[in-house]
Amino acid sequence: MGRSPCCEKAHTNKGAWTKEEDERLTAHIKAYGEGCWRSLPKAAGLLRCGKSCRLRWINYLRPDLKRGNFTEEEDELIIKLHSLLGNKWSLIAARLPGRTDNEIKNYWNTHIRRKLMSSGIDPATHRPLLEQQGKTTISFIKAEEKGVEFDGRGEAKKSGGEEMSVRLQRRPEGEKKKWRCPDLNLELCISTPPSQMHQVLCQETAKNEELRLCFNCRLGVKRSSECKCNGSFLGLSSGVLDYRSLESN
DNA sequence: AAATGCTCCAACCGCACTTGC
DNA sequence: CGCAAGTGCGGTTGGAGCATT
């Protein structure tokens, strides 16, 4: 049995939203709050898919949205964040108040990509285009095929005396040993110096088990109301992760 | 003025992840 | 633990508006 569709497509409107639909959606969310997107269209009297309502609200109707052109500062921040996070638009958007992931993604594809290309910078790697020639590409699949072993944390074990410092994110067991190559620029290693991280975590663990940072908070994104770790982005206040620890090869 | 091409962005789609039972 | 529903994310598309011929 397959997954049921998110909505009854035969009876839903598609395409551009009308002013009346916007007003209905806004009024409903103001009255009842966000969430329950699946049931929202019916409750609000909209012939729309729940996903469509969510998207419309998040990308267009939310009152805290900043409209208008991106500033130079925002441009620079987007480029810097993209070099660190790759196409993780939601993470990037979380660092730009009033901007949505969709907006940033569009802006990247239409403006910044071109801007970087015309400056001779590869938007994918953030390196000069000329430097790309003759560059060695590390393929994780190849490494696995070659018999390189990885430990439980996804870190490559030393092989034949050759030190490897590639850190990977691995899927849980049972997923056909498929490697997940994050969209992050793989030439960057985002981490604290191991000793420092170990020290910080040990101290915190000793104080209070709950103080350990979740992954989202290490990236500066609190996604859960139950999150108690009080982390902050890139460790700018906590020191757990900061720019000094972003090692590029 | 009409035709064509290009740019931009709102919206859609499919998949992955999370949550609850 | 497994399944299904709900939600979120990132890639892609369609079409409106503008520029050029």
Side-chain angles (χ1 to χ4, degrees):
Chain A
M1 189 169 67
R3 186 189 186 83
S4 64
C6 73
C7 55
E8 186 59 59
K9 296 190 188 243
H11 301 104
T12 54
N13 289 343
K14 286 175 97 176
W17 281 63
T18 64
K19 200 177 170 203
E20 193 196 336
E21 285 178 313
D22 281 348
E23 285 167 1
R24 277 177 183 264
L25 180 58
T26 305
H28 183 86
I29 291 175
K30 277 184 180 165
Y32 303 101
E34 289 182 47
C36 299
W37 297 109
R38 200 181 174 94
S39 56
L40 185 148
K42 199 176 176 185
L46 289 162
L47 293 174
R48 290 277 180 177
C49 160
K51 286 173 83 169
S52 181
C53 294
R54 177 184 160 270
L55 212 63
R56 183 65 178 170
W57 173 254
I58 289 173
N59 289 332
Y60 199 79
L61 298 174
R62 245 171 48 197
D64 58 328
L65 287 181
K66 189 195 288 181
R67 314 298 302 183
N69 295 338
F70 283 76
T71 64
E72 269 300 314
E73 289 75 26
E74 285 176 315
D75 271 24
E76 286 173 23
L77 187 54
I78 291 169
I79 293 168
K80 194 174 285 183
L81 288 167
H82 187 272
S83 74
L84 300 174
L85 301 166
N87 294 358
K88 300 296 174 192
W89 307 115
S90 59
L91 291 177
I92 294 171
R95 309 311 309 164
L96 285 141
R99 302 294 188 186
T100 70
D101 53 357
N102 205 36
E103 192 178 13
I104 293 168
K105 178 172 58 183
N106 283 333
Y107 187 65
W108 175 270
N109 287 328
T110 56
H111 292 91
I112 300 182
R113 264 175 67 91
R114 199 173 305 156
K115 187 171 151 186
L116 290 177
M117 293 283 272
S118 66
S119 311
I121 296 170
D122 183 346
T125 62
H126 295 263
R127 290 189 162 221
L129 284 163
L130 290 174
E131 201 181 294
Q132 306 291 312
Q133 296 169 359
K135 178 178 139 187
T136 303
T137 302
I138 300 172
S139 165
F140 299 110
I141 301 300
K142 285 271 159 65
E144 191 181 28
E145 283 169 357
K146 283 177 186 168
V148 176
E149 289 179 39
F150 296 84
D151 64 21
R153 295 168 302 165
E155 209 154 49
K157 292 180 181 174
K158 287 179 184 178
S159 166
E162 194 180 20
E163 177 114 6
M164 298 190 71
S165 59
V166 179
R167 192 170 285 190
L168 298 173
Q169 191 181 346
R170 195 173 186 175
R171 286 186 181 274
E173 280 297 319
E175 288 207 35
K176 297 177 185 174
K177 287 195 171 183
K178 206 160 106 188
W179 291 96
R180 180 174 195 170
C181 299
D183 290 334
L184 286 168
N185 178 352
L186 295 175
E187 291 169 358
L188 291 168
C189 174
I190 302 176
S191 69
T192 342
S195 57
Q196 189 187 340
M197 173 70 91
H198 182 73
Q199 202 177 352
V200 168
L201 288 179
C202 285
Q203 285 170 356
E204 288 184 349
T205 305
K207 274 194 257 169
N208 185 341
E209 195 64 23
E210 286 182 358
L211 284 178
R212 289 201 291 189
L213 296 180
C214 64
F215 177 73
N216 287 322
C217 288
R218 282 183 202 175
L219 289 173
V221 184
K222 267 193 183 178
R223 300 184 60 176
S224 165
S225 57
E226 292 170 14
C227 172
K228 297 170 184 170
C229 69
N230 294 321
S232 66
F233 180 64
L234 295 175
L236 292 177
S237 63
S238 70
V240 171
L241 182 69
D242 68 19
Y243 280 109
R244 285 164 297 175
S245 66
L246 299 170
E247 305 163 4
S248 68
N249 301 323

